[in-house]
Amino acid sequence: MKIKSFAPGKIILFGEHSVVHNRPAIAAAINRGVDVELTPRNDNIVHVIVPAIGYDEKHELTNSRLNYLIDSHKKMITDYIYEVINLFEFQSGFDIKVDINMYLGVGLGSSAAVTVSTLKAVSMYADKDYTKDELAGIARSIEIKIQGAASPIDTSMSTYGGIIYIDNEFNLHSVNVNMKLPLIVQNCQISGNTGKLVESVRQKYEKYPNIVGKIFDAMEQIAVDAKKALEEGNNEHLSNYMNLNQGLLDSIGVNTLELSEMVYTIRSHGAKGSKLTGSGGGGCIIAFCPDNIDEVYDSLDDNYPKFKCELSTEGVEASIIKD
Amino acid sequence: MKIKSFAPGKIILFGEHSVVHNRPAIAAAINRGVDVELTPRNDNIVHVIVPAIGYDEKHELTNSRLNYLIDSHKKMITDYIYEVINLFEFQSGFDIKVDINMYLGVGLGSSAAVTVSTLKAVSMYADKDYTKDELAGIARSIEIKIQGAASPIDTSMSTYGGIIYIDNEFNLHSVNVNMKLPLIVQNCQISGNTGKLVESVRQKYEKYPNIVGKIFDAMEQIAVDAKKALEEGNNEHLSNYMNLNQGLLDSIGVNTLELSEMVYTIRSHGAKGSKLTGSGGGGCIIAFCPDNIDEVYDSLDDNYPKFKCELSTEGVEASIIKD
């Protein structure tokens, strides 16, 4: 018997940065994320394997519990896995392989996807049948414990999937999407410092409230109108909104040479809309290719790693595979 | 005896494109432009030399006039020179060398600078002592005759120099500048089609009036605040306004891969503010380097042609050099 689970990563479609200043944003779960495979063992060993970071370690259960001591200074992606495992009692040990099929630490919600996917598989193995609301709540509390603070967006996306609209008061609303969302995600392999970038935008807003406020107004209008485009399935509008939003992000200083190069190159290869996603200063771009994703993808050179993805409508899923 | 004249080119500092939609803009005359040298001859020959385009032709005066027939289909920079020469009667012929010490056809006002500089030298040779207002008026009527339409900005900048603020009703106001304006102009050597770009922005505004209107609002605020920064001599604000404006131009779709590369590269080499100038889609960027222009200039590679310049405060000038 094996338990297999999957939890999606996420992208910010619209409103990164302006969301910090009480403007709406839109995030989408993607069908790339974290696959977990849990295989029961006949001993007391918990064997954790994370191929993406070459991690492979075994620890022993004591009185059905792992009680793994996390070194909070190291800030490793395995912290999320052990926090999950520490929550439960187990009849016997297990092998758990956590496959991170996305980029780590570039704003795609990898830690939430690791947490939610691991939580789903491990809780099933511990005979707990959590609802999605319970999974999202536990996952977020783990994110908060490890990161100090955590927005509910990432864990929500990894749990429920779909697209959410974050309103001006930071309430999350599921968007009734009526379109496919074929996206290419491309990674410039430079990490932006989210905290510093958020702070630099805050300072710019403080220094030039009239100008930056008007830019936030435009970002807000884009998010409001993009929600409608998603509901109506309007590819053209969605593409144009992405391109408009990209320039506004450039304006407030979170774009970079590499991101801009990627954004323009992928447009010239046929993407209809492209923009940085997340806090910028590095990280990833997304490119919307409603009817030519394979052509666009295949025509790009290998300067920057990339993957194709679609909307994940289901969120976290798991199945038990009998021997 | 020789007559030497100079008329400056211009750059748009702020508000290109939004100015078309009744938002303010700021233009500056630069100390790169068109140098004319007129040398009297003892015969009836008018000898026109334009080294930048390898032009060298002689024509004969008839009854003191040239009456050169301009082929309006060819749209040559020499059209402006001959339109000027056709205006006057001359006692004898002359050699006229028109040195275009700037880039042609990339939004730097080369045709206005050619017209104004030529007009100044040739009118002096024809014993006409025009005021600057008269020079600007005649030059603009020549621009209109050749181009069909012409904004007064270019001829005004070439004639009066300095910085002008174009208000919401398209009235020109001289700005009382209290700072130096050391700029690098860099040319991507791709010509943008101004007409098409203006039309594409108009269509975007028509399609997304709420979003693009808010972007124009931000551009307007930048122009209003930048006028103050120029009057107060605030380098930091001026730099930041350029960077903010650049992103907004990207947003409305007139930035390109090459322009963005130039903008980011020159910032990484120490420029404090940089943006495309003019209609975009190609053409030039400007980079403001208040205290390190030589270091920035010397550190750039030769991928794109560039020149250093400063504000031209005087506009068109001429002198008579005795033998």
Side-chain angles (χ1 to χ4, degrees):
Chain A
M1 185 272 257
K2 280 180 198 300
I3 298 169
K4 286 193 172 190
S5 63
F6 167 78
K10 73 97 183 35
I11 49 145
I12 302 288
L13 274 173
F14 299 100
E16 48 272 270
H17 284 290
S18 45
V19 73
V20 177
H21 302 274
N22 298 101
R23 309 305 181 114
I26 298 178
I30 54 175
N31 64 357
R32 290 280 293 234
V34 174
D35 289 283
V36 169
E37 188 178 291
L38 186 151
T39 312
R41 296 173 64 105
N42 296 323
D43 55 20
N44 276 334
I45 299 296
V46 172
H47 180 193
V48 176
I49 307 155
V50 188
I53 57 166
Y55 185 89
D56 188 325
E57 284 199 19
K58 289 175 180 171
H59 299 280
E60 205 163 343
L61 294 171
T62 312
N63 297 327
S64 305
R65 288 198 165 266
L66 193 66
N67 296 324
Y68 180 86
L69 202 66
I70 290 162
D71 180 347
S72 64
H73 296 293
K74 286 196 180 162
K75 303 264 176 220
M76 287 181 66
I77 191 76
T78 49
D79 295 352
Y80 300 89
I81 298 167
Y82 285 113
E83 283 289 358
V84 168
I85 295 171
N86 280 347
L87 291 175
F88 300 96
E89 290 190 355
F90 305 98
Q91 308 278 324
S92 69
F94 54 91
D95 297 329
I96 182 165
K97 184 156 74 81
V98 178
D99 268 320
I100 304 171
N101 292 312
M102 56 191 298
Y103 309 123
L104 270 167
V106 287
L108 300 182
S110 53
S111 68
V114 164
T115 308
V116 171
S117 191
T118 304
L119 179 60
K120 179 70 186 174
V122 169
S123 63
M124 280 174 76
Y125 182 61
D127 281 330
K128 302 281 183 193
D129 187 18
Y130 288 132
T131 64
K132 286 205 166 180
D133 287 354
E134 287 169 325
L135 289 172
I138 297 168
R140 185 163 180 224
S141 69
I142 290 173
E143 290 242 300
I144 291 171
K145 185 172 177 188
I146 294 174
Q147 300 171 12
S151 107
I153 296 172
D154 289 9
T155 42
S156 174
M157 296 276 63
S158 285
T159 307
Y160 303 104
I163 293 190
I164 53 165
Y165 179 84
I166 301 111
D167 71 19
N168 304 56
E169 284 158 350
F170 219 80
N171 299 310
L172 311 190
H173 307 270
S174 178
V175 177
N176 185 13
V177 191
N178 272 300
M179 63 197 296
K180 294 204 170 294
L181 203 68
L183 291 171
I184 295 171
V185 176
Q186 203 173 17
N187 182 0
C188 80
Q189 297 182 282
I190 298 166
S191 272
N193 182 322
T194 301
K196 276 193 187 166
L197 288 157
V198 167
E199 176 58 18
S200 79
V201 173
R202 196 194 59 70
Q203 285 178 8
K204 208 161 277 175
Y205 186 30
E206 201 170 274
K207 193 173 254 178
Y208 308 116
N210 291 328
I211 298 168
V212 178
K214 287 177 174 66
I215 295 170
F216 288 161
D217 289 347
M219 287 176 169
E220 171 161 9
Q221 189 69 52
I222 289 172
V224 168
D225 293 350
K227 178 170 178 286
K228 279 183 221 136
L230 287 161
E231 288 164 347
E232 292 165 2
N234 193 317
N235 289 334
E236 186 205 352
H237 287 352
L238 197 79
S239 306
N240 290 335
Y241 296 152
M242 287 172 71
N243 297 338
L244 284 158
N245 202 150
Q246 164 65 13
L248 301 181
L249 289 163
D250 181 284
S251 185
I252 59 171
V254 301
N255 195 18
T256 68
L257 175 64
E258 293 78 13
L259 292 171
S260 184
E261 184 199 332
M262 286 157 65
V263 157
Y264 275 105
T265 301
I266 209 160
R267 285 183 201 166
S268 75
H269 283 252
K272 298 298 186 294
S274 61
K275 63 183 278 293
L276 70 87
T277 183
S279 58
C284 294
I285 66 153
I286 51 173
F288 179 51
C289 308
D291 37 48
N292 58 351
I293 190 163
D294 291 327
E295 293 91 309
V296 175
Y297 185 89
D298 293 339
S299 71
L300 292 166
D301 63 29
D302 296 327
N303 286 354
Y304 298 107
K306 57 191 179 293
F307 62 74
K308 288 181 270 191
C309 61
E310 242 296 343
L311 183 61
S312 161
T313 51
E314 298 304 315
V316 65
E317 299 175 89
S319 54
I320 295 174
I321 292 155
K322 300 259 164 72
D323 293 326
Chain B
M1 184 271 257
K2 280 180 199 297
I3 298 169
K4 286 193 173 190
S5 63
F6 167 78
K10 73 97 184 34
I11 48 143
I12 302 288
L13 275 173
F14 299 99
E16 48 272 271
H17 284 290
S18 45
V19 73
V20 177
H21 302 274
N22 298 100
R23 310 305 182 114
I26 298 178
I30 54 175
N31 64 357
R32 289 281 292 235
V34 174
D35 289 283
V36 169
E37 188 177 292
L38 186 152
T39 312
R41 296 172 64 103
N42 296 323
D43 54 20
N44 276 334
I45 299 297
V46 173
H47 180 193
V48 176
I49 307 154
V50 188
I53 56 166
Y55 185 89
D56 188 325
E57 283 198 20
K58 290 176 179 169
H59 299 280
E60 206 164 342
L61 294 170
T62 311
N63 298 327
S64 305
R65 288 197 166 266
L66 192 66
N67 296 323
Y68 180 86
L69 202 65
I70 289 163
D71 181 347
S72 63
H73 297 293
K74 286 196 181 162
K75 303 263 176 221
M76 286 180 66
I77 192 76
T78 50
D79 295 352
Y80 300 89
I81 299 167
Y82 285 114
E83 283 289 358
V84 168
I85 295 171
N86 280 347
L87 291 175
F88 300 96
E89 290 189 355
F90 305 99
Q91 308 277 323
S92 69
F94 53 91
D95 297 329
I96 182 165
K97 184 155 74 81
V98 178
D99 269 319
I100 304 171
N101 292 312
M102 55 190 299
Y103 309 123
L104 270 168
V106 287
L108 300 182
S110 53
S111 68
V114 164
T115 307
V116 171
S117 191
T118 304
L119 179 60
K120 180 69 186 174
V122 169
S123 63
M124 281 173 76
Y125 182 60
D127 281 330
K128 302 281 184 192
D129 188 18
Y130 289 132
T131 64
K132 286 206 167 180
D133 288 354
E134 287 169 325
L135 289 171
I138 296 168
R140 185 165 180 223
S141 68
I142 289 173
E143 290 242 301
I144 291 172
K145 186 172 177 189
I146 294 174
Q147 300 171 12
S151 107
I153 296 172
D154 289 9
T155 42
S156 174
M157 296 277 61
S158 286
T159 306
Y160 303 104
I163 293 191
I164 53 165
Y165 179 83
I166 301 111
D167 71 19
N168 303 55
E169 285 158 350
F170 219 80
N171 298 309
L172 310 190
H173 307 270
S174 177
V175 177
N176 185 13
V177 191
N178 273 301
M179 63 197 296
K180 294 204 171 295
L181 204 68
L183 291 171
I184 295 172
V185 176
Q186 204 173 18
N187 183 0
C188 80
Q189 297 182 283
I190 298 168
S191 272
N193 182 323
T194 301
K196 276 193 188 168
L197 288 156
V198 167
E199 176 58 18
S200 79
V201 173
R202 197 194 58 71
Q203 286 178 8
K204 208 161 278 175
Y205 186 29
E206 202 170 273
K207 193 173 254 177
Y208 308 116
N210 292 329
I211 298 168
V212 178
K214 287 177 173 67
I215 295 170
F216 289 161
D217 289 347
M219 287 176 168
E220 172 161 8
Q221 189 69 52
I222 289 172
V224 168
D225 293 351
K227 178 170 178 285
K228 278 183 222 136
L230 287 161
E231 288 164 347
E232 292 165 3
N234 192 316
N235 289 333
E236 186 205 352
H237 288 352
L238 198 79
S239 306
N240 290 335
Y241 296 152
M242 287 173 71
N243 297 338
L244 284 158
N245 202 150
Q246 164 65 12
L248 301 180
L249 289 163
D250 181 284
S251 185
I252 59 171
V254 301
N255 195 18
T256 68
L257 175 65
E258 293 78 14
L259 292 170
S260 183
E261 185 199 332
M262 286 157 66
V263 157
Y264 275 105
T265 301
I266 209 160
R267 284 183 202 166
S268 75
H269 283 252
K272 298 298 187 293
S274 61
K275 63 182 278 293
L276 69 87
T277 182
S279 58
C284 294
I285 67 153
I286 51 173
F288 179 51
C289 308
D291 37 47
N292 58 351
I293 189 161
D294 292 327
E295 293 91 310
V296 175
Y297 185 89
D298 294 339
S299 71
L300 291 166
D301 63 28
D302 295 327
N303 286 354
Y304 298 107
K306 57 191 180 292
F307 61 74
K308 288 181 270 191
C309 61
E310 242 296 343
L311 183 61
S312 161
T313 51
E314 298 304 315
V316 65
E317 300 176 89
S319 54
I320 296 173
I321 292 155
K322 300 257 165 72
D323 294 325

